Amino acid sequence: MSGVIVTGPPKADAEDVEALAGYGVATVHEAMGRTGLLPTRLRPIQQGTRVAGTAVTVLSWPGDNLMIHAAVEQCGEGDLLVVTTTSPSTDGMFGELFATALKWRGVRGLVIDAGIRDTRELRELGFPAWSAAVSAQGTVKATGGSVNVPVAVGGQLVRPGDVILADDDGVVVVPREKAREAVDASAAREAGEAASRAAFVEGQLGLDRYGLRERLAQLGVMYTRYEDYVRDGAYVRDETCVRDGACVRDGACVRDGAHARDGAGA
């Protein structure tokens, strides 16, 4: 596998990156129209940390961290390293020594769709990381790859210079040219959530605040009193299997589908 190391890619504006760091991953993801979310397998090795930075991307051979060494040189203040492999890997490709070198260069964290190790040391160092696996399995430095090229992480495109935002809920990518738009949309969403929060503190229901009663009516969902529900036979049309315990005891009517098929149950 040959590759390329791209130097000096365009990056999102630093002010926009800092602004996005003030919002949670869920808020930004929703504000952008529920886009940009990286796969849920990327989990933090720490809790209570949120970081945002500009992506330096790495495409490596599985079980080989040569290109991470090459990427360190391309990293600078405010960056966040994003590593993926050409095929699935859980090997521990990143550890304390890499984190030490990156922290010195002002890198804010790591997102790696592979394995990570030395997690205790990384937490003590204050270097946040999100990974697909934790593994002590060692790696080699034998195969070429690429740095600062567009990569796919769980089907989500990440380009060098895009904004990466990560917290306890996961990781989201914001295209660099849409960073300001994402900031404005996130601010508007957060303002709306603040107003809803205040209303919920006062006892208002989401059904009323969001106009969901009308939605339920449109979908044909009806309210009925328990007494009427039982009297009309909707609750248990054939009480025998429930009263005698047969439904629970042998599961026959559930197992063969009769319970749902003939309306014997709810």
Side-chain angles (χ1 to χ4, degrees):
M1 173 182 171
S2 59
V4 61
I5 299 173
V6 179
T7 62
K11 297 181 178 183
D13 185 84
E15 290 186 4
D16 295 335
V17 177
E18 293 303 317
L20 284 171
Y23 303 105
V25 166
T27 294
V28 174
H29 163 65
E30 293 277 5
M32 293 194 305
R34 292 182 294 176
T35 63
L37 201 61
L38 270 59
T40 56
R41 62 177 174 267
L42 299 174
R43 302 305 305 152
I45 64 166
Q46 67 290 308
Q47 290 293 307
T49 298
R50 180 189 298 155
V51 294
T54 45
V56 172
T57 61
V58 181
L59 180 61
S60 290
W61 194 262
D64 190 315
N65 67 5
L66 173 61
M67 298 314 296
I68 300 180
H69 283 279
V72 171
E73 183 182 25
Q74 303 305 315
C75 290
E77 186 70 37
D79 286 335
L80 195 149
L81 191 64
V82 178
V83 180
T84 189
T85 53
T86 56
S87 60
S89 174
T90 59
D91 294 343
M93 298 176 61
F94 186 101
E96 176 193 6
L97 296 180
F98 273 137
T100 300
L102 290 172
K103 190 176 177 73
W104 184 87
R105 302 180 77 87
V107 175
R108 296 177 176 174
L110 166 78
V111 172
I112 180 168
D113 196 10
I116 192 173
R117 62 185 187 178
D118 302 336
T119 55
R120 176 179 176 178
E121 289 79 5
L122 264 61
R123 287 190 291 270
E124 292 174 347
L125 189 61
F127 189 84
W130 287 255
S131 69
V134 174
S135 174
Q137 176 64 50
T139 56
V140 299
K141 302 166 181 60
T143 311
S146 295
V147 175
N148 276 336
V149 298
V151 297
V153 182
Q156 182 66 55
L157 178 66
V158 179
R159 302 169 306 163
D162 285 347
V163 184
I164 301 295
L165 176 66
D167 62 17
D168 291 346
D169 290 339
V171 185
V172 67
V173 57
V174 178
R176 56 181 182 257
E177 67 273 12
K178 294 186 176 180
R180 171 46 53 180
E181 177 184 339
V183 171
D184 294 340
S186 297
R189 181 173 180 83
E190 188 166 87
E193 289 183 346
S196 294
R197 188 177 302 110
F200 294 155
V201 167
E202 296 298 322
Q204 186 177 11
L205 295 173
L207 284 173
D208 299 315
R209 182 166 185 82
Y210 302 138
L212 297 179
R213 294 190 188 281
E214 292 81 359
R215 178 70 58 82
L216 290 174
Q218 291 169 359
L219 294 173
V221 179
M222 299 181 294
Y223 286 85
T224 186
R225 296 187 310 162
Y226 175 79
E227 293 82 359
D228 296 336
Y229 190 50
V230 174
R231 187 189 64 235
D232 293 343
Y235 191 65
V236 180
R237 291 193 175 86
D238 180 358
E239 295 181 349
T240 303
C241 69
V242 176
R243 185 178 60 246
D244 296 344
C247 188
V248 177
R249 186 172 61 247
D250 62 22
C253 68
V254 176
R255 187 170 59 247
D256 66 12
H259 196 68
R261 187 170 59 248
D262 65 18

